[in-house]
């Protein structure tokens, strides 16, 4: 008998990751995909802490007027790309799925960065298919 509370446990699926199909900027589907982990994955939670700390340090530096607005925006974007890249564990690209390659790709495809951010934030994307309609009693 399956534990009915298993339907609430998404950490395993978040760690394993799921495929996110990629579409072109005009919305047309492609055969390309990214395999992404969910926000409840322990590694991604650690990356979130690093990202939050980086933002705090950057904001403090900016508030002291040590950064001009352009440099602030560039460094903030770099922190975000690094953070979002931590969710991507595989892809259909012919290049190796290294953090450097992923960060570079996200810098050139901001619409994909936004799509990954939205996708990983939706916990429903990481529910095991066997539990999409769990029994209620």
């Amino acid at each position: 008998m399956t534990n009915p509370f298993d339907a609430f446990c998404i950490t395993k699926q978040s760690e394993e990751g799921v495929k996110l199909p990629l579409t072109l900027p005009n919305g047309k589907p492609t055969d390309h995909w990214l395999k992404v982990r969910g926000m409840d994955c322990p590694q991604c939670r650690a990356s979130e802490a690093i990202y939050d700390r980086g933002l705090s340090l950057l904001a403090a530096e900016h508030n002291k007027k040590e950064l001009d607005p352009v440099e602030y925006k560039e460094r903030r974007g770099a922190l975000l790309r690094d953070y979002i890249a931590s969710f991507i564990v595989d892809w259909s690209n012919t290049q190796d799925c290294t953090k450097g390659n992923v960060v570079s790709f996200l810098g050139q495809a901001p619409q994909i960065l936004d799509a990954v951010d939205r996708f990983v934030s939706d916990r429903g994307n990481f529910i095991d298919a066997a539990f999409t309609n769990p029994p209620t009693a």
Side-chain angles (χ1 to χ4, degrees):
M1 179 174 188
T2 303
N3 180 344
F5 273 37
D6 285 349
F8 301 99
C9 301
I10 61 173
T11 303
K12 181 180 177 197
Q13 191 72 21
S14 288
E15 286 182 81
E16 291 174 3
V18 297
K19 284 187 178 178
L20 168 62
L22 297 181
T23 59
L24 295 173
N26 63 5
K28 291 190 180 202
T30 71
D31 292 332
H32 293 287
W33 50 266
L34 301 174
K35 185 173 184 183
V36 296
R37 296 183 289 199
M39 61 188 273
D40 295 303
C41 169
Q43 299 93 326
C44 295
R45 287 192 178 263
S47 293
E48 181 180 25
I50 292 167
Y51 173 64
D52 289 344
R53 175 79 172 140
L55 285 179
S56 294
L57 293 172
L58 186 61
E61 200 174 337
H62 181 63
N63 290 337
K64 292 179 186 176
K65 309 282 190 232
E66 295 175 4
L67 292 177
D68 66 62
V70 173
E71 183 179 0
Y72 172 77
K73 187 174 182 178
E74 288 173 1
R75 288 178 54 189
R76 191 168 188 266
L79 285 170
L80 180 61
R81 285 188 298 277
D82 199 56
Y83 170 56
I84 296 299
S86 71
F87 290 95
I88 300 170
V89 294
D90 199 7
W91 61 4
S92 60
N93 194 344
T94 56
Q95 291 182 319
D96 290 335
C97 188
T98 64
K99 189 163 189 178
N101 286 343
V102 172
V103 167
S104 177
F105 171 66
L106 294 175
Q108 298 300 313
Q111 77 282 6
I112 301 298
L113 182 144
D114 291 343
V116 172
D117 190 21
R118 284 189 307 274
F119 188 85
V120 301
S121 297
D122 182 352
R123 287 184 168 110
N125 291 321
F126 298 91
I127 295 173
D128 188 314
F131 297 106
T132 54
N133 293 306
T136 55

